[in-house]
């Protein structure tokens, strides 16, 4: 299991004043030195946080896994292929949302991904992950497309208010992880994870490979510093980069 830190909100803070700091690439280095296995960023069409220049700086400075999260538009595919990250995580994106609101609806995107998106990425060495909700149908369609990985959307688990709802969501995530693993795909997870809800997730859900954490990690770092905060998250994950 490995921690990939999402640095989008380092850019949000930078953009609030239009100065050159804090710099997502500098922050990324601190995260890697603290033990993170890599970095994630989401280059959005509206460029509300990460800018195109940030992507190239991250590519130059990151030693570990670079995960390019994006909507599967032609513009993003062109940038992604030029940047050549290790992994591309395809997500839905709508202009009004504050953050990604749910997984890809696989039935809706299937034909377009099969005909336009996958052939382009498959011409490169970039691995593909699809951000989906933890349900059987979407996982089976991701497999049918030949995806290397899925990223399970943990937002519904993270937002669950009652203990009963939390348990139900963990169970759904567990079944989804088992199914995706049995179909031969890597199982990643992310969205809404924090120091409180990460422990039950990693204890319950098997086969987790990349865990992508951004907003809560960057927010916690305001109190404790980035280095200590990364170490706090890693301690919950067992402080080991790969153990399954
Ligand atoms: N994974 C995906 C696909 C996302 O869209 C996001 C948010 O950009 C994350 C993980 C990280 O979520 P959070 O910022 O809530 O940790």
């Amino acid at each position: 299991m490995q921690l990939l830190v999402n640095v989008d909100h380092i850019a949000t803070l930078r953009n609030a004043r239009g100065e050159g700091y804090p710099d997502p690439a500098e922050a990324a280095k601190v995260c890697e030195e603290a033990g993170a296995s890599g970095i994630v960023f989401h280059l959005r069409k509206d460029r509300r946080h990460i800018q195109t220049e940030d992507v190239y700086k991250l590519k130059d400075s990151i030693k570990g896994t670079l995960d390019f999260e994006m909507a599967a538009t032609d513009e993003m595919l062109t940038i992604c292929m030029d940047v050549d990250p290790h992994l591309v995580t395809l997500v839905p994106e709508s202009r009004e949302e504050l953050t990604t609101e749910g997984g890809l609806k696989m039935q809706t995107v299937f034909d377009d991904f099969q005909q336009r998106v996958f052939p382009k990425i498959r011409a490169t060495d970039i691995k593909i992950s699809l951000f989906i909700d933890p349900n059987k149908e979407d996982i089976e369609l991701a497999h049918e497309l030949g995806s290397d990985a899925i990223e399970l959307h943990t937002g519904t688990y993270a937002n669950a208010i009652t203990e009963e709802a939390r348990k139900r969501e963990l169970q759904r995530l567990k079944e989804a992880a088992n199914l995706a693993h049995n179909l031969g795909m890597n199982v990643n997870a992310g969205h809404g994870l924090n120091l409180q809800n990460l422990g039950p997730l990693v204890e319950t859900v098997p086969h987790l490979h990349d865990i992508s954490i951004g907003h809560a990690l960057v927010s916690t770092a305001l109190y404790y510093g980035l280095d200590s905060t990364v170490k706090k998250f890693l301690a919950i994950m067992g402080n080991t980069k790969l153990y399954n």
Side-chain angles (χ1 to χ4, degrees):
M1 191 187 320
Q2 52 179 18
L3 173 65
L4 304 189
V5 177
N6 178 314
V7 293
D8 292 352
H9 296 299
I10 304 286
T12 303
L13 189 56
R14 187 232 2 238
N15 298 351
R17 288 292 287 269
E19 306 284 352
Y21 63 88
D23 176 4
E26 278 299 311
K29 265 194 245 170
V30 175
C31 293
E32 285 200 312
E33 278 160 21
S37 297
I39 298 299
V40 193
F41 61 86
H42 183 175
L43 183 67
R44 296 184 72 106
K45 182 176 168 36
D46 62 13
R47 304 296 196 275
R48 67 174 69 160
H49 35 58
I50 294 289
Q51 307 294 303
T52 311
E53 308 84 81
D54 292 324
V55 174
Y56 288 92
K57 277 178 85 174
L58 285 163
K59 165 73 181 176
D60 285 344
S61 59
I62 290 311
K63 296 199 182 77
T65 302
L66 189 64
D67 178 3
F68 191 148
E69 188 188 314
M70 60 178 224
T73 62
D74 286 338
E75 180 203 14
M76 287 303 151
L77 284 167
T78 303
I79 298 172
C80 181
M81 277 180 297
D82 189 43
V83 171
D84 191 28
H86 301 98
L87 181 69
V88 58
T89 298
L90 299 175
V91 301
E93 189 177 296
S94 79
R95 198 173 314 180
E96 300 77 21
E97 68 191 2
L98 286 177
T99 181
T100 315
E101 283 170 350
L104 291 160
K105 302 294 165 246
M106 288 307 302
Q107 220 165 19
T108 312
V109 300
F110 190 91
D111 289 346
D112 179 41
F113 276 23
Q114 191 170 51
Q115 288 155 27
R116 180 181 63 92
V117 180
F118 269 57
K120 275 196 185 144
I121 304 174
R122 284 297 180 225
T124 71
D125 290 335
I126 304 167
K127 298 275 186 255
I128 307 175
S129 178
L130 301 176
F131 183 57
I132 55 181
D133 294 320
N135 68 64
K136 188 169 179 282
E137 297 71 30
D138 284 329
I139 293 167
E140 285 174 348
L141 288 173
H143 173 63
E144 206 177 314
L145 267 177
S147 193
D148 302 294
I150 53 155
E151 179 178 328
L152 291 172
H153 176 229
T154 51
T156 311
Y157 160 64
N159 290 332
I161 292 166
T162 64
E163 195 49 34
E164 192 191 345
R166 254 190 298 278
K167 282 199 179 130
R168 190 175 56 238
E169 289 308 317
L170 280 175
Q171 185 59 26
R172 284 180 69 206
L173 289 161
K174 181 177 172 177
E175 284 167 19
N178 274 323
L179 174 61
H181 174 77
N182 290 339
L183 290 171
M185 294 184 285
N186 269 359
V187 181
N188 303 332
H191 213 278
L193 297 175
N194 57 35
L195 289 172
Q196 287 71 44
N197 61 27
L198 180 61
L201 179 88
V202 298
E203 281 159 22
T204 314
V205 180
H207 313 302
L208 292 173
H209 194 271
D210 297 345
I211 310 270
S212 165
I213 307 182
H215 190 261
L217 191 152
V218 170
S219 305
T220 306
L222 293 174
Y223 305 132
Y224 301 111
L226 202 45
D227 177 85
S228 307
T229 301
V230 167
K231 288 175 177 152
K232 281 178 195 287
F233 279 85
L234 283 172
I236 294 171
M237 289 166 57
N239 217 351
T240 140
K241 292 188 177 177
L242 264 176
Y243 68 73
N244 63 16

